[in-house]
Amino acid sequence: MGSEVRVRLAPSPTGYLHVGGARTALFNWLFAKSKDGRFILRIEDTDRSRYQEGAVQEILESLRWLGLDWDEGPEVGGDYGPYFQSERTETYKSHAEQLIETGHAYRCFCTPDRLQKLREEQEKAKLPNVSGYDRHCRNLSTEVGQSLLAVKKPHVIRLKIPFNRTVDFHDLIRGEIAYETDSLDDLVLLKSDGFPTYHLANVVDDHMMRISHILRGDEWISSTPKHVLIYEAFGWEPPTFAHMPVILSPDGGKLSKRKGAASVMDYKKAGYLPQALFNFLALLGWSPGDDREKMSREEITEIFSLDRVTPKAAVFDEKKLEWMNGMYMRETSVDSILRDVVRMWVDQGIVARETTTDDPYLRTVVSLLKDRSRTVNELAESATYFFRDPESYEEKAIKKHFKGNAAVTLKSLCEILQQSDSFDHQVLEEVYRAQAETLEIGVGKLIHPTRLAVTGVSYGPGLFELLEALGKENVLRRMKRAVEWLESHQDR
Ligand code: GLU
């Protein structure tokens, strides 16, 4: 029982779940899965001034989209909801009071101004620690304290940081870490409005929720000695800590909104697949120990271990994510993306509002474009010519493929296609090959002008599948228009 692995994600709803937060969520989830443990979601929402409307919803949606389900929580509509710290403020309060009773904490009535003054006095007197100074609330007599309390003077509750000591802990990723207590101020546990600080609520909950391992980003490492001292004050055993490496942008700087620090939902909106983001995030600090990069969720879950998480900074390379997403596009099913694609086409006004996903033509278009698109959005955006005749031809391609006697070539192809009973891609391919032989040219000399004529661009899916999908009528109309265009631009 005691050795059960229990981890948690403890986001503050001060913004959206960005990729760093998602990596933390993922590593916790993977660690829980690899150890047959439990992954708990706790919303740390006691700082009401930084609360952002809609953030909780977005965090839940992001986790669900990535498939990072949590294993327990209060029941909401037949499902587990997260734990909310805002519903537990009384618990934190009574715990802070408990530390006063045991002599580990004290009420501090100082205003920031007074604290500053004390600090200056302390420096002059060359005392090592401001709270050791006798005019500090830490050293207030019980009587004075009681009388201030009686007149309801606002106050906070602070932890008595022990003087002149080292506080150390073992980090599973970074090894032994030690801090001098004299470098730490007596930290606030309970604010004057009765709300706990992050430190108190976080420690109380991690203890009460029997969290065995704390896996969090390394920006929290400087909080850990404070937490260890809070555990100590309560007489509790601290969990095991592991601080995950920072994530940098490719230029070595901090991740910024411009350089990948987007939210998980931004990636969803940009047409990324959850399985690709899952795979990509897993490699931000962890590696399988060989050069495998594309790995399924199951594979990663199977072999994930904290031993292979490095303390070295990870690099968020958006190009690599794009490449990886392209690989996942190839293996994803048409069905899994069809709805999103159709919605985008509706939004772009390419298809009618009432279009449904059971139109076989739409399925064909998606399956033809899927393998060559890096994202769902790229797919949706490159499909215009499946629905509309091209309005222009790609400038560079004109020079390459609409040169010489392209008009004559296209005209003769039109005549041959007109007579073809079947528009099956295999039949079309034979027709093209036969014509190339007759003209004693490479078949590419027929394929490229045809493609440019029917799509307006020089790239796309296999030409014969494309022609089959568009159908005889569309193809012939477009080719004839290209011939007309060529004839009217002959003097170019
Ligand atoms: N509420 C903190 C956050 O927003 C939790 C940090 C921790 O995991 O202890 O990330």
Side-chain angles (χ1 to χ4, degrees):
M1 253 323 266
S3 62
E4 187 195 13
V5 164
R6 291 172 62 82
V7 291
R8 64 5 177 226
L9 178 74
S12 300
T14 52
Y16 301 135
L17 190 71
H18 55 84
V19 289
R23 196 270 311 258
T24 301
L26 175 62
F27 281 25
N28 273 284
W29 185 91
L30 285 168
F31 184 62
K33 292 283 163 241
S34 71
K35 297 279 181 196
D36 248 341
R38 287 180 158 241
F39 173 55
I40 287 149
L41 177 61
R42 181 174 78 223
I43 305 291
E44 301 209 322
D45 57 347
T46 56
D47 187 351
R48 304 313 281 181
S49 63
R50 295 180 59 220
Y51 186 85
Q52 194 175 316
E53 207 49 52
V56 173
Q57 247 356 79
E58 175 139 345
I59 291 167
L60 302 189
E61 214 179 308
S62 306
L63 293 173
R64 289 198 179 108
W65 182 68
L66 282 170
L68 305 180
D69 304 317
W70 48 101
D71 300 310
E72 62 178 60
E75 220 181 288
V76 191
D79 213 345
Y80 290 131
Y83 294 105
F84 285 95
Q85 286 192 329
S86 58
E87 291 168 6
R88 301 165 49 78
T89 46
E90 282 313 309
T91 307
Y92 311 125
K93 216 172 175 169
S94 63
H95 276 85
E97 299 283 346
Q98 185 188 322
L99 288 187
I100 295 185
E101 276 157 35
T102 57
H104 292 95
Y106 62 95
R107 294 182 208 280
C108 180
F109 299 90
C110 295
T111 58
D113 276 355
R114 180 174 148 83
L115 272 181
Q116 182 55 32
K117 255 185 73 198
L118 285 179
R119 199 164 278 133
E120 283 161 16
E121 286 179 26
Q122 169 231 350
E123 266 163 27
K124 249 199 233 143
K126 295 202 173 20
L127 281 168
N129 194 304
V130 68
S131 43
Y133 191 50
D134 59 5
R135 290 182 55 215
H136 193 278
C137 289
R138 178 163 170 162
N139 309 308
L140 218 58
S141 68
T142 323
E143 299 77 59
V144 180
Q146 289 298 345
S147 62
L148 290 172
L149 202 57
V151 296
K152 295 206 161 42
K153 188 159 166 62
H155 63 277
V156 300
I157 296 180
R158 286 183 192 273
L159 182 75
K160 287 185 186 166
I161 299 273
F163 297 137
N164 195 20
R165 238 193 64 188
T166 307
V167 48
D168 44 26
F169 58 91
H170 179 76
D171 184 292
L172 285 183
I173 299 170
R174 288 162 193 278
E176 298 309 316
I177 297 184
Y179 279 80
E180 295 308 316
T181 54
D182 284 349
S183 67
L184 309 171
D185 280 337
D186 282 0
L187 67 118
V188 177
L189 300 172
L190 203 73
K191 294 181 276 186
S192 56
D193 59 5
F195 277 94
T197 54
Y198 151 69
H199 303 295
L200 176 68
N202 188 271
V203 166
V204 167
D205 279 348
D206 283 338
H207 175 73
M208 293 183 81
M209 296 176 182
R210 293 179 287 114
I211 299 303
S212 62
H213 293 74
I214 293 183
L215 271 58
R216 58 185 168 203
D218 78 350
E219 68 272 27
W220 298 100
I221 208 158
S222 61
S223 293
T224 306
K226 300 174 192 169
H227 294 185
V228 171
L229 291 170
I230 303 178
Y231 282 102
E232 198 179 288
F234 280 116
W236 297 335
E237 185 72 26
T240 304
F241 295 96
H243 292 88
M244 287 170 290
V246 64
I247 305 175
L248 301 176
S249 67
D251 63 12
K254 264 187 78 167
L255 265 198
S256 65
K257 194 96 186 144
R258 255 183 327 113
K259 292 186 235 147
S263 73
V264 171
M265 285 294 113
D266 285 338
Y267 283 102
K268 176 172 189 260
K269 279 182 218 130
Y272 285 86
L273 299 171
Q275 56 274 39
L277 194 57
F278 184 105
N279 187 164
F280 176 77
L281 290 173
L283 298 173
L284 291 181
W286 171 83
S287 81
D290 49 39
D291 52 11
R292 263 177 300 173
E293 291 210 293
K294 183 170 172 292
M295 297 171 72
S296 72
R297 193 183 163 87
E298 290 69 31
E299 255 177 297
I300 297 172
T301 309
E302 170 100 22
I303 62 167
F304 181 84
S305 105
L306 283 183
D307 305 343
R308 302 216 59 89
V309 176
T310 142
K312 274 213 322 261
V315 176
F316 191 96
D317 182 353
E318 193 126 14
K319 283 268 159 288
K320 181 169 163 186
L321 171 59
E322 214 172 78
W323 161 80
M324 192 167 263
N325 204 69
M327 297 214 286
Y328 278 95
M329 286 290 284
R330 260 166 254 160
E331 62 184 43
T332 203
S333 69
V334 170
D335 281 313
S336 68
I337 54 173
L338 188 61
R339 265 190 38 203
D340 283 342
V341 175
V342 171
R343 192 180 31 76
M344 286 179 216
W345 285 337
V346 169
D347 290 346
Q348 289 164 23
I350 284 183
V351 298
R353 208 138 270 293
E354 49 287 350
T355 309
T356 62
T357 50
D358 23 76
D359 180 343
Y361 182 62
L362 303 183
R363 306 185 74 84
T364 307
V365 175
V366 170
S367 76
L368 284 179
L369 291 175
K370 196 174 69 64
D371 295 4
R372 35 185 322 111
S373 307
R374 280 166 302 182
T375 63
V376 177
N377 292 26
E378 189 177 287
L379 186 164
E381 280 153 20
S382 65
T384 320
Y385 57 76
F386 278 99
F387 303 97
R388 290 183 188 154
D389 289 359
E391 282 164 10
S392 59
Y393 306 103
E394 198 184 294
E395 213 38 62
K396 254 167 85 191
I398 291 175
K399 293 198 184 91
K400 258 169 100 181
H401 307 309
F402 274 3
K403 61 182 183 201
N405 49 3
V408 180
T409 311
L410 285 174
K411 229 187 216 166
S412 65
L413 281 169
C414 278
E415 278 158 27
I416 298 167
L417 292 174
Q418 184 79 54
Q419 281 156 29
S420 177
D421 292 333
S422 163
F423 235 62
D424 173 90
H425 64 273
Q426 278 161 344
V427 173
L428 292 172
E429 182 162 359
E430 278 163 28
V431 168
Y432 267 66
R433 293 208 181 277
Q435 175 68 353
E437 244 169 66
T438 312
L439 299 177
E440 293 182 350
I441 53 172
V443 71
K445 292 243 163 24
L446 303 178
I447 288 178
H448 298 307
T450 308
R451 179 189 298 285
L452 188 58
V454 297
T455 66
V457 291
S458 58
Y459 50 87
L463 181 75
F464 306 113
E465 280 88 356
L466 170 72
L467 298 184
E468 177 180 336
L470 285 171
K472 189 168 180 172
E473 199 187 317
N474 287 327
V475 170
L476 287 176
R477 185 184 60 252
R478 292 179 184 190
M479 286 174 75
K480 282 175 193 156
R481 278 188 55 182
V483 170
E484 280 164 27
W485 186 92
L486 275 163
E487 285 169 351
S488 63
H489 287 75
Q490 246 158 14
D491 45 347
R492 273 167 62 97

